[in-house]
Amino acid sequence: MTATVHFGSFDAEAAWRPADLARLPASPAVGGNRGNRCLDQLLAVGCAPGDLLLTAEPMDDGLVEVLAAAGIAPRIVAVPGPEDATVEERLATLGDVGLPQVRGWAAAVYSVRPETSAAVQRLGLVATLPTAEVTARVNSKVWSNDLVRGAGLPGAAVLASTPRQVRRLVEDADGDVVLKDPYGVAGLGALRVTSPRMLDTVVRHLERQAGRGARVELLVQPLFDEALSFSTHIEVGPGAIVRWRGMRHVDNAEFAYRGSGPLSPEQHASLDTPAHREVIAQVGAALAAEGYTGPVCVDGLWLRDGTVVSVLEVNARRSMGLFNLQLDQRAGAVGLSCWLRCRTTPVVAGDALGRLLSALDEADLLFRGDRPGVLPLASGTLTPPRGRLFFAVFASPGAGRAALEAKVGDLLSATRPIRVSSPDS
């Protein structure tokens, strides 16, 4: 079997987003640029032994050992190049300079960016990739919203192309609404409008940008009364073959990702229906007709009135839910289930991850591949002063997960160094 090279920057939406689009007001992303660059370390969960993972920055040696003990043991190599350059840009420029020889290997990319094809060619990898233009088009929420409206599905939004239209649509709505940037992701680019004052602030922000020549393209969507967020995962292959991969429960907080996990048996029975599968098959066919091949995550909602919004957004790339499915396959082999968690936490400069790994080991909580435990998944995302810890919780179905997750929080607090202020501060 041919080994595989895995790589890809997680800020694909920034590469797809047209430069002349107006932006919603937003706070800085947790973790900053370095934290976002290091998200590519999460790709290790999809690697088989013998695979190669190329990352933007080196992974902590201690974490590499812990992952290997859990059965996740690719070779991990940081790609040299300018700090502000993506992995794809570095590979497209340098090729395999300073890297292991991988010509003829398969390529598994996080997403297709403008430089991805050139990176694959420079490495001599084998891959069937859609064009960056096609990938950008189908990842726009405008594209998926047009699909929803054309199929008469629940959950459609209305597109606003001027600040005035934004104001009118929000004021005419029955209740709070959500404004969505076509290329927003993980809580950035989605804004809940809750008051006239907030609407005034948003409209003024858009008017200033429009006055400088920016285009306004925002989706105005009702704030749904959701009972459950979920994701459906498929693979669109050559020849328009659509392969079903599974469904995940999604935990969000104010649109920001907090985790994924298995649906309960009752939830799964209610959501994984022939009607839902038919809708997802339509999504796959529409993507194939556009020329897209590769992994797809379709976000959906189950509303409190019983309505199932099968297609809220389409993410034509790898996703956290897919990583959770891959981890769950490992868990299932030993009779467990897996939950992928993201925890925002204060981080003091120093070896934050090393302290946590030592504490988990001393408490006999590290997952070693055969019994319940916790497995941190990335080192570079724990950036001071506030970073993100991505970790997997392996537990028996329906039991033990909450307790293990709570222990992680306790250990994070216990291992955080105390800041000592100088007398003059």
Side-chain angles (χ1 to χ4, degrees):
M1 179 181 291
T2 303
T4 301
V5 180
H6 303 252
F7 68 89
S9 305
F10 278 43
D11 63 345
E13 282 75 12
W16 297 327
R17 192 179 190 279
D20 64 344
L21 280 187
R23 297 179 180 274
L24 288 166
S27 301
V30 174
N33 292 334
R34 181 175 184 270
N36 287 332
R37 280 198 306 273
C38 292
L39 284 168
D40 61 5
Q41 296 174 0
L42 295 171
L43 292 170
V45 305
C47 295
D51 284 355
L52 174 66
L53 171 59
L54 300 177
T55 59
E57 296 194 16
M59 185 182 285
D60 177 85
D61 289 340
L63 180 58
V64 172
E65 293 179 6
V66 166
L67 290 174
I72 301 173
R75 182 177 180 184
I76 303 174
V77 177
V79 180
E83 182 178 271
D84 59 351
T86 66
V87 167
E88 292 87 348
E89 289 169 339
R90 299 178 196 181
L91 293 173
T93 302
L94 300 173
D96 58 3
V97 175
L99 300 176
Q101 290 298 312
V102 292
R103 292 190 174 275
W105 290 28
V109 302
Y110 174 75
S111 63
V112 177
R113 297 168 53 103
E115 308 85 10
T116 302
S117 180
V120 167
Q121 291 176 11
R122 290 294 298 270
L123 290 174
L125 303 177
V126 178
T128 301
L129 299 176
T131 66
E133 292 77 15
V134 164
T135 308
R137 181 165 65 251
V138 298
N139 274 284
S140 168
K141 293 177 179 60
V142 175
W143 184 88
S144 55
N145 191 64
D146 286 345
L147 180 67
V148 168
R149 296 183 70 85
L153 299 173
V158 179
L159 181 64
S161 56
T162 67
R164 180 176 294 182
Q165 283 184 324
V166 171
R167 180 182 293 279
R168 177 177 58 80
L169 289 168
V170 174
E171 289 178 340
D172 290 348
D174 183 16
D176 291 351
V177 303
V178 179
L179 300 179
K180 291 185 174 182
D181 185 294
Y183 292 100
V185 64
L188 299 176
L191 185 66
R192 177 180 175 180
V193 182
T194 58
S195 69
R197 182 178 179 180
M198 186 175 185
L199 176 59
D200 288 341
T201 299
V202 171
V203 170
R204 286 196 300 269
H205 183 75
L206 295 172
E207 286 174 340
R208 285 194 295 269
Q209 295 174 83
R212 297 192 294 268
R215 291 186 297 118
V216 175
E217 192 175 74
L218 291 173
L219 291 163
V220 183
Q221 193 166 54
L223 180 66
F224 295 117
D225 186 16
E226 68 176 81
L228 178 75
S229 294
F230 65 95
S231 58
T232 306
H233 302 269
I234 58 174
E235 185 88 17
V236 180
I241 296 175
V242 178
R243 180 165 68 96
W244 180 273
R245 303 201 65 164
M247 299 178 69
R248 295 280 92 181
H249 171 258
V250 181
D251 179 14
N252 292 320
E254 288 299 315
F255 313 117
Y257 177 80
R258 290 293 178 266
S260 303
L263 294 163
S264 71
E266 296 77 17
Q267 292 166 345
H268 196 275
S270 297
L271 292 171
D272 187 5
T273 63
H276 176 68
R277 289 208 177 208
E278 175 58 30
V279 170
I280 299 302
Q282 292 177 31
V283 174
L287 288 165
E290 293 279 4
Y292 179 79
T293 56
V296 182
C297 167
V298 183
D299 292 331
L301 295 175
W302 189 6
L303 307 186
R304 295 191 186 280
D305 65 5
T307 301
V308 175
V309 178
S310 290
V311 185
L312 184 69
E313 298 173 5
V314 174
N315 301 297
R317 52 165 172 75
R318 299 190 187 279
S319 61
M320 296 297 177
L322 176 59
F323 301 151
N324 184 217
L325 281 170
Q326 292 168 328
L327 288 163
D328 207 36
Q329 289 177 344
R330 296 178 181 273
V334 291
L336 302 174
S337 294
C338 180
W339 289 259
L340 174 60
R341 306 301 297 166
C342 173
R343 188 184 186 102
T344 301
T345 180
V347 179
V348 178
D351 187 15
L353 182 64
R355 293 190 298 271
L356 178 61
L357 292 177
S358 295
L360 287 168
D361 192 24
E362 291 172 6
D364 199 25
L365 293 177
L366 280 175
F367 177 68
R368 300 293 188 182
D370 57 356
R371 58 188 176 85
V374 173
L375 185 64
L377 300 171
S379 56
T381 60
L382 279 172
T383 54
R386 195 165 181 81
R388 287 178 291 176
L389 175 67
F390 289 86
F391 62 100
V393 178
F394 295 84
S396 299
R401 190 267 297 182
L404 281 170
E405 187 174 343
K407 289 178 181 178
V408 173
D410 293 341
L411 291 177
L412 277 173
S413 298
T415 58
R416 191 177 302 131
I418 299 173
R419 290 184 183 276
V420 179
S421 300
S422 66
D424 297 330
S425 62

